[in-house]
Amino acid sequence: MLLSAEHISINFGSRQLLDNVNFYLNEGDKVGVIGINGTGKSTFLKVLAGVTEADAGRISRNPNVQVSFLAQNPAMDDNATVLEQVFLHFPAEFRALNEYEAKTMLNKLGLPDFDQKIGTLSGGQRKRVALAAALIHPADVLFLDEPTNHLDSEMVAWLEDWLRRFKGGLVMVTHDRYFLERVVNHITELSRGKLYHYEANYSKYLELKEQRAEMAEASERKRQSILRVEREWIMRGCRARTTKSKERIQRYEALLDQEAPETDGAVQLAAASSRLGKKIIELNGVTKAFDGHAVVADFSYNLLRGDRIGIVGRNGAGKSTLLHLIAGELAPDAGTVEIGATVKIGHFSQEGRELDLNQRVYDFIHDIADEVKTDEGTFSANQMMERFLFPGDLQSVPIGRLSGGERRRLYLLSVLMEAPNVLLLDEPTNDLDVMTLSILEDYLQGFPGPILTVSHDRFFLDKLAESIMEVRGNGEILRYTGNWSDWARKRRAEEAPARAEKSKTAAERPRERKLKFSFKEQREFETIDGELAALEAELASCQSEQERCGSDYVKLQELQERQTELETKLEEKTERWIYLNELKEKIDAQ
C-alpha cells in the first residue's frame, strides 16, 4: 500500500466537502476522481498530497514513498526561466542528470524556448511547465489536477501514453473521458461528501453506477412497500395499541427514519435561441497575420444552418484567432467577413468574460437578462440559475467563492442567457465535470443553429462534430468530413507514405565496417531495420482494416487500441535505431 486516508472530513463554510471518508492507494492503482464541479475534488487531491490539512482524519504513507503534485492553478516564479521553474525545487545534481529528459518533455508540451521567463507565458503555457515539473519528479505517487487542460491533441496522446507506462500510483482529477477510459483502472466518485469506489475504467464505471442506482431504487421501493403495509397495520389496531408488538412498531419507526437515497443534481439545459435567417456568416478570402506570420491565409467558407464543426490544431496554430474572425471581433488583414442581419452569436471564449469576483452570482446573471425563452417555456434568471446547479444559497455568494468549474459553468449560463442562434465555443469542456459535459453534448446536438467548437476533448468531438477544420499554423486550414476519430485516421493515412519512405531510407543505409558493439547491440543493429519495416507494414495493415470494419464499433475500438500500441512500439524502436546509429558514428570516429 502506497497511501491510506481514513475518516477524512473537511468543511468549507456551509459546505461539507468530505464527510468521514476513506481512501486507499496500492501500487499500480491509477485512479480517476470525478464528481460535479464544486464538490471538493481539488481539495480532496490536496489533502491526499499533503498540501492541505483535513479537519479530521489521518493520512498515512510509507516514509520512503515520493510524491509529486500538479495543482489546478500552480504557483510559479515569474522571474524564473521555463527550465529553471521545472527544476526549481531540485538540487543541481538532479538537474544535471535530468536536463535532457526535461527538455524533451518541454518540447513535447510545445515549450521549445527554455529561457523564456515564466512571467511572459499564458495561463495554458504555465500549466504545461508545471506538468513537466510534476512528471520529471522521480515519484512513486503522482497527484494530477486537470492535467489535460491546455494540451492539444498530440500532447494529450503523448501524456496518455506516458501515464499508461508509469509504474507508480496515480490519482488524478480529469474530465477527459478517453483518459478515464484508457489510463485509469479505478474510478472514485465524490458526491455529497461521500466517496464511491469502482474498480473500473470509465465505460465499466457507467455500467456499475447504473447498477448501484437501480439497487438503491429497488431498496427504496421495498422500504416504501413495507412502510405502507406497516402503516395500515398500525392504523387498523390503533385502539389496541398497548397490545401490539413493540418490536414491530420500532422496526416501522426505524424504516420511517431511514433516508431515501440521494441523487446528485444535474444541469438542465433547454435550447434558447433567436430566429435565424438564410444568410448566416460568409468568409471570403480572409487573411490574418501577426508579426509577418500568416495564421489564416485566403480562407473562404459559408456557414450553414446545420453545421457541426470541430476546429483542431496544435496550440498556437490560430484556432482561437479563427473564431474571433468569424465572430467579427477581429478585423482581417484582407478579405471580408459578412454576418447576417438575424445572426446572434454566442461566443464562449477561452479567456471568458471578465468576472468581477466581488459581484454576486445573482447580480451577474440578472445584468444579462431577467428571463429567457426556451423550447420548454419561459424561465426567469433565478430558475435558469437553479437549472445550472446554482441554488438560492449559492446565488447570493460572491463569484470569487466559486470553484474553477463552477465559474466556467456560470460563464456558460451567461452565454446561453443571451439566446444566441450561432454558437462559437472555444474549449468549452475545460473544467466542466463529466455529468455536465454529457448534458451539454445532448443540448448541443439539439441546438437549432450552427456550432463551431475549438476543442482538444476527443470524446466531445467524436460525439458532436460532423466535420473537422484543421488549422495548420502556416495559414492553411484544411476541411475533413467526419468526427475527430475520422479525421485522425485520415491524417495518419496521409502521413503514412512519408513514414514509409523514412523507413525505406533507413533500411537501405549502408554499413561501412563491422562495429565494436556488445554482442547484444551487434545483433540488435543488424536486425532493427527489418523490425522497423515490419512494424510499419503491420501499422499500415491495421489502418486499412479500420477503414473496412464499417460500423462494427467493438472491432474498431480493438483496432484503435492495437494501432496505439503499434505506434508506441514504432516510436520506441525508431529512438533505439537513432541511438545505435549515433553510437556507430562515435565508434567509427575513434
Side-chain angles (χ1 to χ4, degrees):
M1 184 178 292
L2 299 172
L3 176 147
S4 69
E6 296 178 316
H7 309 296
I8 303 297
S9 293
I10 284 193
N11 186 276
F12 184 74
S14 60
R15 299 193 208 180
Q16 187 72 35
L17 296 182
L18 298 170
D19 184 12
N20 193 32
V21 300
N22 298 319
F23 178 85
Y24 304 97
L25 184 72
N26 295 307
E27 192 172 340
D29 285 351
K30 294 184 177 180
V31 183
V33 180
I34 64 174
I36 292 173
N37 294 133
T39 54
K41 299 185 297 297
S42 293
T43 303
F44 175 56
L45 212 62
K46 289 176 183 177
V47 169
L48 294 181
V51 176
T52 297
E53 286 287 328
D55 295 334
R58 183 182 63 186
I59 304 286
S60 302
R61 67 171 66 90
N62 187 311
N64 296 321
V65 168
Q66 293 289 311
V67 169
S68 183
F69 174 60
L70 171 70
Q72 190 174 38
N73 298 299
M76 309 187 88
D77 181 355
D78 287 347
N79 295 316
T81 67
V82 166
L83 198 58
E84 286 170 347
Q85 180 66 48
V86 169
F87 291 107
L88 196 60
H89 303 293
F90 297 102
E93 300 79 26
F94 181 82
R95 174 171 175 170
L97 289 170
N98 294 277
E99 187 166 311
Y100 176 78
E101 184 182 353
K103 287 180 176 179
T104 302
M105 206 173 274
L106 289 167
N107 275 318
K108 292 283 188 183
L109 293 170
L111 296 161
D113 187 354
F114 311 131
D115 296 322
Q116 189 174 358
K117 293 288 187 182
I118 293 296
T120 66
L121 300 181
S122 67
Q125 289 171 319
R126 291 165 73 97
K127 183 70 179 274
R128 280 180 268 146
V129 173
L131 176 60
L135 298 184
I136 202 71
H137 192 294
D140 302 294
V141 181
L142 270 177
F143 295 102
L144 306 178
D145 197 346
E146 297 287 5
T148 63
N149 278 6
H150 310 293
L151 302 188
D152 63 32
S153 300
E154 288 185 16
M155 296 173 192
V156 170
W158 170 80
L159 179 60
E160 183 180 294
D161 181 59
W162 196 97
L163 292 176
R164 284 168 69 175
R165 288 187 281 116
F166 177 65
K167 302 298 183 186
L170 170 67
V171 184
M172 64 176 173
V173 173
T174 183
H175 306 311
D176 187 315
R177 286 156 292 179
Y178 276 155
F179 238 65
L180 291 169
E181 180 71 16
R182 297 170 179 172
V183 175
V184 310
N185 51 27
H186 288 70
I187 285 185
T188 293
E189 182 181 0
L190 176 55
S191 173
R192 298 176 180 271
K194 298 296 185 183
L195 294 179
Y196 299 92
H197 304 287
Y198 302 85
E199 194 168 339
N201 60 4
Y202 183 66
S203 57
K204 186 64 177 175
Y205 149 77
L206 291 176
E207 292 178 24
L208 294 175
K209 184 180 180 182
E210 186 176 356
Q211 289 174 15
R212 180 167 69 87
E214 288 173 354
M215 288 171 64
E217 289 173 9
S219 178
E220 176 61 13
R221 285 196 300 270
K222 182 178 179 181
R223 183 176 79 96
Q224 292 295 339
S225 178
I226 294 172
L227 278 173
R228 187 174 61 253
V229 172
E230 295 296 278
R231 190 180 300 113
E232 291 172 358
W233 176 79
I234 286 177
M235 296 302 292
R236 278 199 312 269
C238 58
R239 292 179 183 174
R241 181 81 177 244
T242 55
T243 63
K244 294 185 185 294
S245 164
K246 290 183 179 180
E247 290 81 2
R248 189 167 180 180
I249 293 174
Q250 287 171 352
R251 282 200 302 271
Y252 168 76
E253 290 173 345
L255 279 171
L256 197 61
D257 292 338
Q258 188 177 318
E259 293 183 356
E262 292 184 310
T263 56
D264 285 320
V267 175
Q268 300 176 56
L269 296 178
S273 63
S274 311
R275 186 185 69 84
L276 187 61
K278 287 186 177 180
K279 182 176 180 180
I280 304 177
I281 301 176
E282 295 179 4
L283 289 81
N284 297 296
V286 170
T287 296
K288 187 66 184 179
F290 295 98
D291 299 325
H293 174 72
V295 176
V296 179
D298 194 25
F299 178 66
S300 299
Y301 188 75
N302 183 15
L303 193 64
L304 303 176
R305 184 183 297 270
D307 276 345
R308 297 287 187 270
I309 301 171
I311 301 174
V312 301
R314 292 183 176 179
N315 283 339
K319 303 182 296 296
S320 296
T321 298
L322 177 60
L323 278 193
H324 284 297
L325 286 167
I326 294 171
E329 299 167 352
L330 184 65
D333 298 334
T336 60
V337 178
E338 298 178 16
I339 300 176
T342 61
V343 169
K344 193 170 184 181
I345 295 173
H347 188 184
F348 184 87
S349 65
Q350 200 170 42
E351 55 274 11
R353 277 193 172 98
E354 280 295 326
L355 301 179
D356 179 358
L357 300 184
N358 295 314
Q359 187 180 26
R360 292 190 309 162
V361 171
Y362 174 91
D363 296 329
F364 172 66
I365 294 299
H366 271 268
D367 286 349
I368 297 167
D370 291 324
E371 63 179 28
V372 63
K373 294 180 180 179
T374 76
D375 53 4
E376 294 181 12
T378 300
F379 292 96
S380 67
N382 298 64
Q383 289 172 319
M384 286 297 288
M385 282 186 277
E386 288 178 357
R387 290 167 73 89
F388 268 69
L389 302 186
F390 294 105
D393 59 334
L394 210 53
Q395 292 177 24
S396 60
V397 304
I399 292 173
R401 289 273 303 276
L402 302 180
S403 70
E406 286 173 319
R407 291 183 203 176
R408 196 75 170 155
R409 195 166 69 227
L410 183 67
Y411 173 43
L412 176 62
L413 171 59
S414 73
V415 171
L416 299 181
M417 283 294 292
E418 295 173 335
N421 50 29
V422 174
L423 283 177
L424 306 180
L425 310 175
D426 196 348
E427 295 291 1
T429 66
N430 278 3
D431 297 316
L432 293 183
D433 59 75
V434 291
M435 297 78 167
T436 301
L437 282 176
S438 180
I439 294 163
L440 175 62
E441 287 159 356
D442 291 340
Y443 164 80
L444 293 176
Q445 287 176 329
F447 185 75
I451 301 170
L452 289 89
T453 178
V454 171
S455 182
H456 302 308
D457 188 324
R458 300 160 293 176
F459 193 101
F460 179 75
L461 289 179
D462 271 348
K463 193 167 181 180
L464 178 69
E466 294 174 1
S467 64
I468 297 289
M469 286 184 180
E470 182 188 359
V471 181
R472 288 291 184 91
N474 58 357
E476 191 178 13
I477 298 174
L478 303 180
R479 295 199 294 271
Y480 296 81
T481 301
N483 60 15
W484 184 88
S485 292
D486 296 326
W487 164 77
R489 281 196 297 274
K490 290 171 184 174
R491 289 290 286 118
R492 285 194 294 266
E494 289 172 1
E495 293 169 357
R499 289 201 302 268
E501 184 62 31
K502 180 180 177 181
S503 178
K504 182 180 177 184
T505 303
E508 292 172 352
R509 185 183 296 271
R511 299 183 183 86
E512 295 176 3
R513 54 194 168 95
K514 191 173 179 66
L515 302 173
K516 295 179 181 179
F517 291 135
S518 67
F519 177 78
K520 183 179 178 181
E521 287 173 334
Q522 176 70 48
R523 292 286 298 163
E524 187 179 6
F525 183 79
E526 290 171 355
T527 59
I528 196 167
D529 290 334
E531 291 171 1
L532 275 171
L535 278 171
E536 287 280 2
E538 192 174 352
L539 183 60
S541 174
C542 183
Q543 291 168 342
S544 300
E545 196 171 346
Q546 286 182 49
E547 296 290 339
R548 296 194 300 270
C549 73
S551 59
D552 187 345
Y553 177 78
V554 175
K555 180 68 174 174
L556 184 60
Q557 186 77 11
E558 291 174 358
L559 289 169
Q560 287 175 345
E561 290 174 1
R562 177 61 178 156
Q563 179 171 320
T564 301
E565 182 184 336
L566 287 170
E567 287 172 341
T568 301
K569 286 183 179 179
L570 184 61
E571 184 178 354
E572 292 172 352
K573 189 66 70 175
T574 302
E575 288 177 0
R576 186 64 179 165
W577 180 89
I578 292 170
Y579 164 77
L580 290 170
N581 278 274
E582 286 179 348
L583 181 59
K584 172 186 179 297
E585 290 173 2
K586 290 177 182 177
I587 293 172
D588 289 347
Q590 289 176 349

